[in-house]
Amino acid sequence: MPDIERLVNDFVAKLSKRKVEGSQATSRLTAELLRSVVSLQRLPPTNSAAVLIEAVRGIGVKLVAANPVELAVGNIVRRVLHIIREEDLSLLTSKTSDLDLSAASDDEGTIDQDYDPTQSAAAAAAAAKSFLRPPSLHALLENMSDKAVPSNNYTSSSGGDSEEKTKADKLARTRKLKHDVIEAINILIEDIDTCHELIAEQAVEHIHQNEVILTLGSSRTAFEFLCAAKEKKRSFRVVVAEGAPRYQGHALAKELVSRGLQTIVVTDSAVFAMISRVNMVIVGVHAVMANGGVIAPVGMNMVALAAQKHAVPFVVVAGIHKLCPSYPHNPEVCLNDMRSPAELLEFGRFSNCMEFGMDSGAPLQVVNPGFDYVAPELVSLLITDM
């Protein structure tokens, strides 16, 4: 469909050119895109959930390939796929319940004639077992096919009416599925928007009076967490590592000071010297892996090792949309992003010793990774919005 294709291509271009900053913004835009896809996708009256799942999965593959480093994209695609399956199963279960009630009402007139206490007890036990067993999609489909078999006593005219009613029911079910999926995605978007506030509400339980907190980088989640503790009349100091070479810590320190927090800026190399005075490390991260390890701004592993050496709690604050079901050793997981060497060296001063400018000798190579991987044994606590 042209509209869907245009929307997807525009968002793919934004992802590939790194025009979307931050995992939260990326997650929200991904959810909004998939909501539009669900709304615009034409669904057949039968097997509509499978068609919708296939469409979302195909778009998800394109989005993940556009920026493999942004793991939140894949997380949101998986959440939407889960929503579609859950809503489809919910509709299927409600349809099965309606059939059960219909069959029970048809049998009411013959209960007195055919009542057998032994058979009744066996039927009750079977019903209880079926109720207690976790719902199986295969079992539900079997039950529907058994109970939905039409009787041979219908006349030809009633058969035509039945077919029209069945077709109308399928169209209504397809519309209901689309509506329910869109509503669930709206709830997901709302959860993404409010994750900072829900995490910040827990700040007073972790930050205490006169403590010294160390952080690295510029995380909005960590910023809101610290400010929430300040609003609860907690007096504490924040040590901010500057986060070279992009120096995001400078922007964070300025924002903290504007909110009335006592702030100290240190170089990244001074973290080990300062950590013995620190009561807790609180940081935001890029992604949380399935094994409990985190992908965070470069320099974070150094901070985590220093915290472990001095027995300082290393606390991670992250929204639930950053939890990734993949492991760091999975081949499809891109753990790092090599950024421009211009962030480290001024090209004009070092152009004569770059590879293309060297007539002899070893050329200068510049490596500028964007992320660190912090092993799970270094993480003391993970605070989410759930």
Side-chain angles (χ1 to χ4, degrees), residues 191-206:
D191 290 342
I192 294 171
D193 290 339
T194 59
C195 71
H196 297 309
E197 290 78 6
L198 294 174
I199 293 173
E201 288 175 1
Q202 307 171 60
V204 72
E205 302 173 13
H206 301 279

Side-chain angles (χ1 to χ4, degrees), residues 50-176:
V51 172
L52 197 54
I53 287 172
E54 193 61 31
V56 171
R57 183 182 288 123
I59 291 169
V61 170
K62 292 181 181 179
L63 298 182
V64 172
N67 188 356
V69 178
E70 194 55 77
L71 299 177
V73 173
N75 297 341
I76 298 300
V77 172
R78 294 184 192 96
R79 288 283 295 275
V80 172
L81 290 172
H82 175 72
I83 286 171
I84 297 170
R85 295 188 185 99
E86 286 292 304
E87 297 300 335
D88 183 51
L89 182 59
S90 176
L91 289 175
L92 190 59
T93 306
S94 63
K95 179 66 175 175
T96 307
S97 301
D98 293 341
L99 289 171
D100 289 341
L101 291 173
S102 176
S105 62
D106 291 341
D107 293 341
E108 282 178 358
T110 60
I111 285 179
D112 294 336
Q113 299 174 8
D114 302 332
Y115 179 73
D116 183 346
T118 307
Q119 292 181 1
S120 178
K129 183 178 179 182
S130 174
F131 177 76
L132 293 172
R133 187 172 57 239
S136 165
L137 185 58
H138 179 67
L140 291 171
L141 289 171
E142 278 190 339
N143 292 337
M144 281 190 65
S145 61
D146 292 342
K147 294 171 184 175
V149 173
S151 172
N152 294 328
N153 296 329
Y154 291 125
T155 62
S156 59
S157 60
S158 64
D161 294 341
S162 177
E163 286 180 4
E164 290 179 3
K165 185 176 183 301
T166 302
K167 186 176 181 181
D169 288 345
K170 288 179 179 178
L171 289 173
R173 185 180 182 278
T174 299
R175 287 194 294 269
K176 183 75 164 59

Side-chain angles (χ1 to χ4, degrees), residues 60-363:
V61 170
K62 292 181 181 179
L63 298 182
V64 172
N67 188 356
V69 178
E70 194 55 77
L71 299 177
V73 173
N75 297 341
I76 298 300
V77 172
R78 294 184 192 96
R79 288 283 295 275
V80 172
L81 290 172
H82 175 72
I83 286 171
I84 297 170
R85 295 188 185 99
E86 286 292 304
E87 297 300 335
D88 183 51
L89 182 59
S90 176
L91 289 175
L92 190 59
T93 306
S94 63
K95 179 66 175 175
T96 307
S97 301
D98 293 341
L99 289 171
D100 289 341
L101 291 173
S102 176
S105 62
D106 291 341
D107 293 341
E108 282 178 358
T110 60
I111 285 179
D112 294 336
Q113 299 174 8
D114 302 332
Y115 179 73
D116 183 346
T118 307
Q119 292 181 1
S120 178
K129 183 178 179 182
S130 174
F131 177 76
L132 293 172
R133 187 172 57 239
S136 165
L137 185 58
H138 179 67
L140 291 171
L141 289 171
E142 278 190 339
N143 292 337
M144 281 190 65
S145 61
D146 292 342
K147 294 171 184 175
V149 173
S151 172
N152 294 328
N153 296 329
Y154 291 125
T155 62
S156 59
S157 60
S158 64
D161 294 341
S162 177
E163 286 180 4
E164 290 179 3
K165 185 176 183 301
T166 302
K167 186 176 181 181
D169 288 345
K170 288 179 179 178
L171 289 173
R173 185 180 182 278
T174 299
R175 287 194 294 269
K176 183 75 164 59
L177 173 66
K178 183 178 284 192
H179 175 269
D180 290 349
V181 170
I182 291 174
E183 286 298 314
I185 295 176
N186 287 336
I187 294 173
L188 173 62
I189 293 172
E190 186 179 347
D191 290 342
I192 294 171
D193 290 339
T194 59
C195 71
H196 297 309
E197 290 78 6
L198 294 174
I199 293 173
E201 288 175 1
Q202 307 171 60
V204 72
E205 302 173 13
H206 301 279
I207 298 177
H208 306 291
Q209 190 74 7
N210 298 324
E211 285 191 333
V212 179
I213 310 297
L214 186 141
T215 189
L216 170 70
S218 180
S219 165
R220 184 187 165 192
T221 310
F223 171 73
E224 295 290 347
F225 193 83
L226 295 169
C227 291
K230 170 66 176 178
E231 291 169 1
K232 296 294 183 179
K233 308 301 181 184
R234 295 288 167 85
S235 177
F236 58 95
R237 286 182 294 169
V238 183
V239 178
V240 181
E242 61 182 358
R246 304 178 74 187
Y247 301 106
Q248 294 176 324
H250 293 176
L252 176 63
K254 186 176 180 180
E255 291 177 351
L256 290 172
V257 169
S258 68
R259 296 287 287 268
L261 278 82
Q262 303 176 53
T263 307
I264 303 169
V265 177
V266 299
T267 61
D268 297 338
S269 56
V271 166
F272 205 96
M274 294 291 296
I275 198 72
S276 60
R277 309 178 191 179
V278 170
N279 299 104
M280 185 184 300
V281 176
I282 298 177
V283 294
V285 296
H286 180 70
V288 182
M289 308 306 292
N291 65 340
V294 297
I295 299 176
V298 66
M300 196 68 77
N301 192 54
M302 172 189 66
V303 176
L305 289 170
Q308 185 191 49
K309 181 72 175 178
H310 288 268
V312 175
F314 185 88
V315 178
V316 172
V317 289
I320 203 74
H321 59 276
K322 292 188 178 183
L323 270 65
C324 181
S326 301
Y327 287 86
H329 58 264
N330 288 5
E332 70 273 10
V333 175
C334 184
L335 284 178
N336 226 320
D337 185 22
M338 294 300 171
R339 302 186 184 275
S340 169
E343 294 180 349
L344 295 177
L345 299 177
E346 184 181 343
F347 179 76
R349 295 176 58 193
F350 291 89
S351 59
N352 61 336
C353 57
M354 294 294 182
E355 187 171 358
F356 55 84
M358 289 289 293
D359 296 329
S360 60

